[in-house]
Amino acid sequence: MNKMQRALRELTEMDDLAAQDSVMHRLHPTAKLLSTILYIAAVLSFGKYQLSGLAVFLLWPVLLFQLSGIPVHICFYKLRFVLPLVMAVGLFNPFFDTAPLLYLGPVPVSGGVVSMLTLMLKGLLCLMASFLLMATTGIDRLCASLRRLHVPGLLVTLLLLTYRYVGVMTEELAVMTEAYQLRAPGQKGIARAAWGSFLGQLLLRSMDRAQELYSSMLLRGYHEHFHYAPVPAFSGKDALYLLLCAAVFLLLRLVPLAQWLGGLVVR
Amino acid sequence: MIEFQHVSFAYEKERPVLRDLSFKIEKGESVGLIGANGAGKSTLMKLLLGLLQGEGRIFVDGTPVEKSSLAEVRRKLGFVLQNSDNQMFMPTVYEDMIFGPLNYGLSREEAERRVDAVLERLGLQELKHRHNHRISGGEKRMAAIATVLAMDPEVILMDEPSSALDPCNRRVVINTIRTLPQTKLIASHDLDMILDTCDRVLLMSGGVLVADGPAQTLLRDRALLEAHRMELPFRLSGC
Ligand SMILES: Nc1ncnc2c1ncn2[C@@H]1O[C@H](COP(=O)(O)OP(=O)(O)O)[C@@H](O)[C@H]1O
Ligand SMILES: [Mg+2]
């Protein structure tokens, strides 16, 4: 099995995760979707130096991992390519913002370092929340729920196709790398000179296949109402969950809990 | 059941792929659409399904294939794609099979009953909850046929149903096709399979319909087949 085939298997494993059963899985997709959006909004609304307030938000994904029975390491494994990219965003802050902001004992910590850590944490939290949503809901039910919220059908179809398209593209990539390596034995990876045509081919081939795939969906009556994805009725339990999430996020956002706790310890 | 009236089509303006095609297929017929690679077989099927639009008129059960009637027309047609990987897009065989019926408004119980009935008829119960990415090529082709049958179409279209299958799986697919009572249009250059599954043959070459007749006669016509880059079916070649 080559690298790409393994990547493909991982993608299908996402569907497996979504097919499991837990308190989190049983919640209404819309409740999960909205609470995730609220969570991300709350996380992103923190100022660039508010690291301690933000850190408290780490509790939510930790709790959700517990409730859903999804091991945390799977999340990090799946996000291993995206996570570094997102975290790299704030990497240069320490060079620009050098004024000391606080002191850890005698060590001065510059504003740049704090804002870098804040950005990294924001990225991490948002990714974890999105992963949890996907892993406990599944793409089809998520799309169905988006439609219920009156998100335009075209957008939802686009989301669905992008998700499937990643799979198709990975498959094509697997076939092409294999074909390439058979004709270039002993060579690691793909020669720089061949990248251009390789990428072009990949795009064309996966576009063709994505087109066929979409045709196949249309021919089997696909329309943007997602009848095939069962969405249960929105129950009191779901409403409660959503309200609870909203209240807790608001509270944690407005009340500097970490500072209070810190204050208690120091005093 | 299916009628083409002077149908022409070109992907690029200067290079016509189908030229003035006319023919009629009656209800219950099994028709083989044969021709070398690039003859235009797949293109013809896509026109019939309304995935491509050309000149001329196409009718399915008296309804013209047009934008406004696409849903109605497609409901009657079940299309088995050449590449089963592109046909199956849901995580498991079961989810893929139930996709069509649910879209057409069946309740989950009805749809599930239908899925089970099809799986049982094809002897595929064991595949039901398997992952699409983890079944073999032969199993996938059978599963693709099952997804189409689950929609209960009146006409079954198949594009190269025996391609990329080993002899044993090929035989399974052929035997399955033979038991299907629906009207069938099967595109292939596997003439042995066509001989086994079809009564009538349409021969295409260079985008033109060059012959139309009983399979038993046409498939024995060595000169005709060779003139259009094909060979006699192995079984009739006298080896
Ligand atoms: N998407 C496309 N764009 C341009 N030309 C195409 C496309 N698909 C097929 N063709 C051309 O149309 C002709 C008929 O193709 P096709 O219908 O796939 O033949 P067959 O299925 O009989 O092998 C071929 O010459 C092929 O190169
Ligand atoms: Mg073809």
Side-chain angles (χ1 to χ4, degrees):
Chain A
M1 200 157 55
N2 76 19
K3 242 190 265 169
M4 296 307 156
Q5 279 161 335
R6 227 170 322 164
L8 192 68
R9 168 151 300 191
E10 271 179 44
L11 211 74
T12 62
E13 276 165 8
M14 251 344 241
D15 293 320
D16 285 347
L17 289 180
Q20 288 174 6
D21 188 34
S22 78
V23 190
M24 283 311 295
H25 287 83
R26 281 193 295 270
L27 275 175
H28 195 281
T30 305
K32 281 186 276 188
L33 177 67
L34 291 180
S35 63
T36 306
I37 292 175
L38 287 178
Y39 178 80
I40 291 178
V43 163
L44 293 181
S45 73
F46 276 95
K48 64 176 178 176
Y49 297 136
Q50 291 178 295
L51 185 58
S52 60
L54 190 58
V56 179
F57 272 74
L58 198 54
L59 290 176
W60 194 64
V62 169
L63 184 70
L64 259 49
F65 276 116
Q66 287 300 317
L67 289 177
S68 61
I70 292 172
V72 184
H73 68 85
I74 295 192
C75 171
F76 283 103
Y77 187 70
K78 301 243 187 234
L79 295 179
R80 68 192 178 284
F81 297 120
V82 201
L83 212 49
L85 288 179
V86 171
M87 306 255 287
V89 175
L91 223 48
F92 292 107
N93 287 16
F95 299 106
F96 297 123
D97 184 357
T98 48
L101 185 75
L102 52 92
Y103 289 86
L104 275 181
V107 187
V109 182
S110 75
V113 169
V114 174
S115 66
M116 174 186 76
L117 291 176
T118 308
L119 264 178
M120 285 181 165
L121 190 57
K122 278 185 182 179
L124 176 69
L125 293 180
C126 292
L127 281 178
M128 285 207 291
S130 315
F131 170 85
L132 278 163
L133 175 66
M134 267 320 227
T136 59
T137 311
I139 184 74
D140 295 297
R141 267 183 296 169
L142 198 62
C143 287
S145 146
L146 283 168
R147 281 299 288 149
R148 301 268 166 108
L149 294 172
H150 300 286
V151 175
L154 190 65
L155 278 182
V156 178
T157 302
L158 205 64
L159 173 70
L160 178 67
L161 284 178
T162 309
Y163 186 82
R164 304 227 190 279
Y165 190 73
V166 173
V168 167
M169 203 137 129
T170 331
E171 258 177 18
E172 283 306 322
L173 196 59
V175 174
M176 283 177 61
T177 2
E178 211 155 44
Y180 183 92
Q181 276 165 357
L182 284 173
R183 281 179 293 163
Q187 184 182 320
K188 254 204 185 137
I190 289 153
R192 188 91 28 108
W195 277 14
S197 59
F198 193 86
L199 271 181
Q201 271 298 314
L202 175 66
L203 212 64
L204 284 178
R205 288 172 57 147
S206 36
M207 260 162 60
D208 269 356
R209 288 201 47 198
Q211 177 72 46
E212 285 242 309
L213 207 128
Y214 184 53
S215 303
S216 163
M217 286 169 60
L218 284 182
L219 293 177
R220 281 193 273 151
Y222 172 78
H223 44 66
E224 289 149 350
H225 300 300
F226 294 91
H227 285 328
Y228 66 91
V231 176
F234 199 85
S235 71
K237 215 177 50 199
D238 301 311
L240 191 67
Y241 172 79
L242 188 54
L243 277 178
L244 204 68
C245 282
V248 170
F249 297 159
L250 198 67
L251 198 73
L252 292 182
R253 177 66 190 90
L254 298 178
V255 179
L257 190 67
Q259 273 165 25
W260 282 7
L261 290 177
L264 285 180
V265 174
V266 170
R267 219 182 297 144
Chain B
M1 192 74 202
I2 293 173
E3 186 171 1
F4 274 56
Q5 290 179 356
H6 306 290
V7 173
S8 299
F9 179 80
Y11 288 101
E12 298 141 25
K13 254 202 181 123
E14 329 68 67
R15 232 166 48 84
V17 172
L18 299 182
R19 275 176 293 169
D20 196 26
L21 236 53
S22 297
F23 63 88
K24 220 170 169 175
I25 295 175
E26 300 300 334
K27 206 176 175 87
E29 269 191 303
S30 298
V31 179
L33 184 62
I34 65 172
N37 281 328
K41 306 183 292 291
S42 303
T43 306
L44 186 152
M45 295 210 157
K46 286 180 185 157
L47 282 164
L48 177 56
L49 291 157
L51 293 172
L52 298 172
Q53 274 86 38
E55 286 159 44
R57 316 247 296 151
I58 302 174
F59 296 89
V60 173
D61 206 9
T63 315
V65 180
E66 292 164 354
K67 226 184 177 109
S68 57
S69 62
L70 271 188
E72 187 191 337
V73 165
R74 285 178 177 169
R75 227 186 142 133
K76 296 189 174 141
L77 305 174
F79 184 40
V80 181
L81 273 72
Q82 173 163 10
N83 184 344
S84 308
D85 283 328
N86 297 346
Q87 176 125 29
M88 316 283 284
F89 45 81
M90 297 293 283
T92 65
V93 174
Y94 164 73
E95 284 165 280
D96 230 307
M97 287 183 70
I98 208 161
F99 180 89
L102 289 180
N103 277 330
Y104 283 131
L106 261 66
S107 75
R108 194 153 268 273
E109 293 77 47
E110 282 175 302
E112 180 132 5
R113 232 175 294 132
R114 204 190 260 184
V115 165
D116 283 331
V118 170
L119 284 173
E120 195 184 325
R121 204 171 106 219
L122 301 183
L124 298 176
Q125 295 97 322
E126 187 265 325
L127 282 188
K128 185 169 174 184
H129 292 292
R130 295 278 296 282
H131 237 287
N132 278 328
H133 283 289
R134 295 175 204 167
I135 57 181
S136 73
E139 289 170 330
K140 206 175 275 184
R141 183 66 46 86
M142 288 302 291
I145 294 175
T147 61
V148 166
L149 290 181
M151 303 209 322
D152 197 18
E154 291 174 38
V155 182
I156 295 180
L157 309 172
M158 295 184 164
D159 197 353
E160 315 268 2
S162 63
S163 69
L165 292 183
D166 64 33
C168 179
N169 282 312
R170 179 175 166 276
R171 186 44 58 192
V172 172
V173 168
I174 289 176
N175 289 341
T176 305
I177 296 175
R178 286 167 64 112
T179 63
L180 302 178
Q182 289 91 339
T183 310
K184 283 168 278 185
L185 180 61
I186 303 173
S188 184
H189 46 225
D190 176 354
L191 300 190
D192 279 283
M193 186 224 10
I194 294 293
L195 190 65
D196 275 339
T197 53
C198 299
D199 316 317
R200 177 178 158 205
V201 165
L202 301 175
L203 171 58
M204 285 180 75
S205 183
V208 183
L209 198 58
V210 291
D212 175 356
Q216 289 292 343
T217 347
L218 262 181
L219 295 178
R220 281 172 204 281
D221 191 338
R222 186 189 294 260
L224 177 72
L225 294 177
E226 282 176 1
H228 297 103
R229 295 196 292 135
M230 277 177 300
E231 288 177 350
L232 281 184
F234 188 66
R235 236 169 329 116
L236 300 179
S237 64
C239 321

Short mmCIF file of all heavy atoms in Angstrom, two decimals, chain A residues 208, chain B residues 9-12 15-18 34-46 52 82 159-160 187 189 204, ligand 1:
data_model
loop_
_atom_site.label_atom_id
_atom_site.label_comp_id
_atom_site.label_asym_id
_atom_site.label_seq_id
_atom_site.Cartn_x
_atom_site.Cartn_y
_atom_site.Cartn_z
N ASP A 208 -12.30 15.02 -14.57
CA ASP A 208 -13.11 14.08 -15.35
C ASP A 208 -13.88 13.15 -14.43
O ASP A 208 -15.07 12.92 -14.60
CB ASP A 208 -12.20 13.23 -16.25
CG ASP A 208 -12.03 13.87 -17.62
OD1 ASP A 208 -12.67 14.91 -17.84
OD2 ASP A 208 -11.25 13.34 -18.43
N PHE B 9 -23.95 14.76 -32.75
CA PHE B 9 -23.30 15.39 -31.61
C PHE B 9 -21.81 15.59 -31.86
O PHE B 9 -21.17 14.79 -32.52
CB PHE B 9 -23.47 14.53 -30.35
CG PHE B 9 -22.81 15.11 -29.15
CD1 PHE B 9 -23.41 16.13 -28.44
CD2 PHE B 9 -21.55 14.67 -28.76
CE1 PHE B 9 -22.79 16.70 -27.35
CE2 PHE B 9 -20.92 15.24 -27.66
CZ PHE B 9 -21.55 16.25 -26.95
N ALA B 10 -21.28 16.70 -31.35
CA ALA B 10 -19.83 16.94 -31.43
C ALA B 10 -19.37 17.58 -30.14
O ALA B 10 -20.03 18.47 -29.61
CB ALA B 10 -19.52 17.86 -32.61
N TYR B 11 -18.25 17.10 -29.59
CA TYR B 11 -17.65 17.75 -28.41
C TYR B 11 -17.00 19.06 -28.87
O TYR B 11 -17.11 20.08 -28.23
CB TYR B 11 -16.60 16.86 -27.76
CG TYR B 11 -17.18 15.68 -27.02
CD1 TYR B 11 -17.17 14.42 -27.60
CD2 TYR B 11 -17.70 15.81 -25.74
CE1 TYR B 11 -17.68 13.32 -26.92
CE2 TYR B 11 -18.21 14.73 -25.06
CZ TYR B 11 -18.19 13.48 -25.65
OH TYR B 11 -18.70 12.41 -24.99
N GLU B 12 -16.25 18.94 -29.99
CA GLU B 12 -15.64 20.13 -30.58
C GLU B 12 -16.24 20.31 -31.97
O GLU B 12 -16.44 19.33 -32.68
CB GLU B 12 -14.12 19.94 -30.69
CG GLU B 12 -13.44 19.76 -29.35
CD GLU B 12 -12.32 18.73 -29.40
OE1 GLU B 12 -11.76 18.50 -30.49
OE2 GLU B 12 -12.04 18.12 -28.35
N ARG B 15 -15.22 18.40 -35.14
CA ARG B 15 -15.04 16.95 -35.09
C ARG B 15 -16.31 16.25 -34.59
O ARG B 15 -16.45 16.00 -33.41
CB ARG B 15 -13.86 16.62 -34.17
CG ARG B 15 -12.83 15.71 -34.80
CD ARG B 15 -11.54 15.68 -34.00
NE ARG B 15 -11.75 15.47 -32.58
CZ ARG B 15 -11.92 14.28 -32.01
NH1 ARG B 15 -11.88 13.19 -32.72
NH2 ARG B 15 -12.09 14.19 -30.71
N PRO B 16 -17.26 15.95 -35.50
CA PRO B 16 -18.49 15.29 -35.07
C PRO B 16 -18.19 13.89 -34.52
O PRO B 16 -17.36 13.17 -35.07
CB PRO B 16 -19.33 15.21 -36.34
CG PRO B 16 -18.37 15.36 -37.46
CD PRO B 16 -17.22 16.16 -36.96
N VAL B 17 -18.83 13.55 -33.44
CA VAL B 17 -18.62 12.24 -32.83
C VAL B 17 -19.78 11.29 -33.20
O VAL B 17 -19.58 10.11 -33.44
CB VAL B 17 -18.50 12.37 -31.30
CG1 VAL B 17 -18.48 11.02 -30.63
CG2 VAL B 17 -17.24 13.15 -30.95
N LEU B 18 -20.99 11.84 -33.28
CA LEU B 18 -22.14 11.06 -33.74
C LEU B 18 -22.76 11.79 -34.93
O LEU B 18 -22.91 13.01 -34.89
CB LEU B 18 -23.19 10.92 -32.64
CG LEU B 18 -22.77 10.21 -31.35
CD1 LEU B 18 -23.96 10.12 -30.40
CD2 LEU B 18 -22.24 8.81 -31.66
N ILE B 34 -22.35 -2.15 -30.23
CA ILE B 34 -20.95 -2.53 -30.38
C ILE B 34 -20.21 -1.57 -31.28
O ILE B 34 -20.80 -0.82 -32.05
CB ILE B 34 -20.80 -3.98 -30.88
CG1 ILE B 34 -21.36 -4.12 -32.29
CG2 ILE B 34 -21.49 -4.95 -29.95
CD1 ILE B 34 -21.06 -5.48 -32.92
N GLY B 35 -18.90 -1.59 -31.18
CA GLY B 35 -18.06 -0.69 -31.95
C GLY B 35 -16.70 -0.60 -31.29
O GLY B 35 -16.59 -0.81 -30.08
N ALA B 36 -15.68 -0.28 -32.08
CA ALA B 36 -14.33 -0.19 -31.54
C ALA B 36 -14.23 0.97 -30.55
O ALA B 36 -15.15 1.77 -30.43
CB ALA B 36 -13.34 -0.01 -32.68
N ASN B 37 -13.10 1.09 -29.86
CA ASN B 37 -12.88 2.23 -28.96
C ASN B 37 -13.03 3.53 -29.73
O ASN B 37 -12.52 3.66 -30.84
CB ASN B 37 -11.46 2.20 -28.39
CG ASN B 37 -11.37 1.20 -27.25
OD1 ASN B 37 -12.33 1.00 -26.53
ND2 ASN B 37 -10.21 0.60 -27.09
N GLY B 38 -13.73 4.47 -29.14
CA GLY B 38 -13.87 5.77 -29.78
C GLY B 38 -14.98 5.84 -30.81
O GLY B 38 -15.16 6.85 -31.48
N ALA B 39 -15.76 4.76 -30.94
CA ALA B 39 -16.84 4.74 -31.94
C ALA B 39 -17.98 5.69 -31.54
O ALA B 39 -18.76 6.12 -32.38
CB ALA B 39 -17.38 3.32 -32.11
N GLY B 40 -18.08 5.99 -30.26
CA GLY B 40 -19.12 6.91 -29.80
C GLY B 40 -20.19 6.25 -28.94
O GLY B 40 -21.24 6.84 -28.71
N LYS B 41 -19.91 5.07 -28.44
CA LYS B 41 -20.91 4.33 -27.64
C LYS B 41 -21.25 5.07 -26.34
O LYS B 41 -22.43 5.27 -26.03
CB LYS B 41 -20.39 2.92 -27.30
CG LYS B 41 -19.94 2.10 -28.52
CD LYS B 41 -19.51 0.72 -28.14
CE LYS B 41 -18.22 0.66 -27.31
NZ LYS B 41 -17.00 1.04 -28.08
N SER B 42 -20.21 5.45 -25.61
CA SER B 42 -20.47 6.14 -24.33
C SER B 42 -21.18 7.46 -24.58
O SER B 42 -22.08 7.84 -23.82
CB SER B 42 -19.15 6.40 -23.60
OG SER B 42 -18.46 5.21 -23.40
N THR B 43 -20.78 8.15 -25.63
CA THR B 43 -21.39 9.44 -25.95
C THR B 43 -22.88 9.26 -26.20
O THR B 43 -23.72 10.04 -25.72
CB THR B 43 -20.71 10.05 -27.18
OG1 THR B 43 -19.31 10.10 -26.93
CG2 THR B 43 -21.22 11.43 -27.46
N LEU B 44 -23.23 8.20 -26.94
CA LEU B 44 -24.64 7.93 -27.23
C LEU B 44 -25.43 7.74 -25.93
O LEU B 44 -26.53 8.28 -25.77
CB LEU B 44 -24.73 6.68 -28.10
CG LEU B 44 -26.11 6.28 -28.65
CD1 LEU B 44 -25.93 5.52 -29.97
CD2 LEU B 44 -26.88 5.42 -27.69
N MET B 45 -24.84 7.02 -25.00
CA MET B 45 -25.55 6.78 -23.74
C MET B 45 -25.73 8.07 -22.95
O MET B 45 -26.78 8.31 -22.35
CB MET B 45 -24.78 5.78 -22.89
CG MET B 45 -24.73 4.42 -23.54
SD MET B 45 -24.65 3.14 -22.30
CE MET B 45 -25.28 1.76 -23.23
N LYS B 46 -24.70 8.91 -22.96
CA LYS B 46 -24.81 10.16 -22.22
C LYS B 46 -25.87 11.07 -22.83
O LYS B 46 -26.54 11.82 -22.11
CB LYS B 46 -23.45 10.87 -22.18
CG LYS B 46 -22.51 10.16 -21.20
CD LYS B 46 -21.16 10.81 -21.12
CE LYS B 46 -20.26 9.97 -20.23
NZ LYS B 46 -18.85 10.21 -20.53
N LEU B 52 -25.58 14.99 -21.94
CA LEU B 52 -25.07 15.82 -23.03
C LEU B 52 -26.27 16.20 -23.90
O LEU B 52 -27.25 15.47 -23.96
CB LEU B 52 -24.06 15.04 -23.88
CG LEU B 52 -22.78 14.55 -23.24
CD1 LEU B 52 -22.02 13.64 -24.21
CD2 LEU B 52 -21.90 15.71 -22.83
N GLN B 82 -19.11 2.75 -16.72
CA GLN B 82 -17.97 1.89 -17.06
C GLN B 82 -17.05 1.72 -15.86
O GLN B 82 -16.56 0.64 -15.60
CB GLN B 82 -17.21 2.53 -18.22
CG GLN B 82 -15.92 1.81 -18.52
CD GLN B 82 -15.39 2.17 -19.88
OE1 GLN B 82 -15.88 3.08 -20.54
NE2 GLN B 82 -14.39 1.44 -20.34
N ASP B 159 -22.46 0.49 -19.65
CA ASP B 159 -21.31 0.88 -20.47
C ASP B 159 -20.15 -0.06 -20.13
O ASP B 159 -19.62 -0.01 -19.02
CB ASP B 159 -20.94 2.33 -20.19
CG ASP B 159 -20.04 2.91 -21.27
OD1 ASP B 159 -19.62 2.13 -22.15
OD2 ASP B 159 -19.76 4.11 -21.23
N GLU B 160 -19.80 -0.92 -21.06
CA GLU B 160 -18.71 -1.89 -20.87
C GLU B 160 -18.82 -2.63 -19.54
O GLU B 160 -17.89 -2.57 -18.73
CB GLU B 160 -17.35 -1.17 -20.92
CG GLU B 160 -17.19 -0.16 -22.03
CD GLU B 160 -16.59 -0.75 -23.29
OE1 GLU B 160 -16.33 -1.98 -23.30
OE2 GLU B 160 -16.41 0.00 -24.25
N ALA B 187 -23.46 -1.38 -24.05
CA ALA B 187 -22.36 -0.96 -24.91
C ALA B 187 -21.12 -1.77 -24.57
O ALA B 187 -20.77 -1.90 -23.40
CB ALA B 187 -22.07 0.52 -24.71
N HIS B 189 -17.26 -3.77 -26.43
CA HIS B 189 -16.58 -4.40 -27.57
C HIS B 189 -16.26 -5.85 -27.23
O HIS B 189 -15.56 -6.52 -27.96
CB HIS B 189 -15.34 -3.62 -28.01
CG HIS B 189 -14.46 -3.21 -26.88
ND1 HIS B 189 -13.93 -1.97 -26.76
CD2 HIS B 189 -14.08 -3.88 -25.78
CE1 HIS B 189 -13.24 -1.89 -25.65
NE2 HIS B 189 -13.31 -3.04 -25.04
N MET B 204 -21.73 0.40 -34.39
CA MET B 204 -21.34 1.79 -34.65
C MET B 204 -19.91 1.85 -35.12
O MET B 204 -19.06 1.08 -34.66
CB MET B 204 -21.44 2.61 -33.37
CG MET B 204 -22.85 2.96 -32.99
SD MET B 204 -22.84 3.92 -31.50
CE MET B 204 -22.28 5.47 -32.15
N1 LIG C 1 -15.14 14.87 -23.07
C1 LIG C 1 -14.71 14.72 -24.33
N2 LIG C 1 -14.22 15.78 -25.01
C2 LIG C 1 -13.81 15.67 -26.29
N3 LIG C 1 -13.85 14.52 -27.00
C3 LIG C 1 -14.33 13.42 -26.40
C4 LIG C 1 -14.80 13.47 -25.03
N4 LIG C 1 -15.22 12.23 -24.70
C5 LIG C 1 -15.05 11.46 -25.78
N5 LIG C 1 -14.52 12.16 -26.82
C6 LIG C 1 -14.23 11.66 -28.15
O1 LIG C 1 -15.44 11.20 -28.72
C7 LIG C 1 -15.22 10.01 -29.44
C8 LIG C 1 -16.18 8.93 -28.95
O2 LIG C 1 -15.90 8.61 -27.61
P1 LIG C 1 -16.73 7.57 -26.77
O3 LIG C 1 -18.17 7.88 -26.91
O4 LIG C 1 -16.17 7.55 -25.42
O5 LIG C 1 -16.42 6.19 -27.53
P2 LIG C 1 -16.58 4.70 -27.03
O6 LIG C 1 -17.35 4.72 -25.77
O7 LIG C 1 -17.28 4.04 -28.15
O8 LIG C 1 -15.21 4.14 -26.85
C9 LIG C 1 -13.77 9.63 -29.27
O9 LIG C 1 -13.08 10.02 -30.44
C10 LIG C 1 -13.31 10.46 -28.11
O10 LIG C 1 -11.98 10.84 -28.27
#
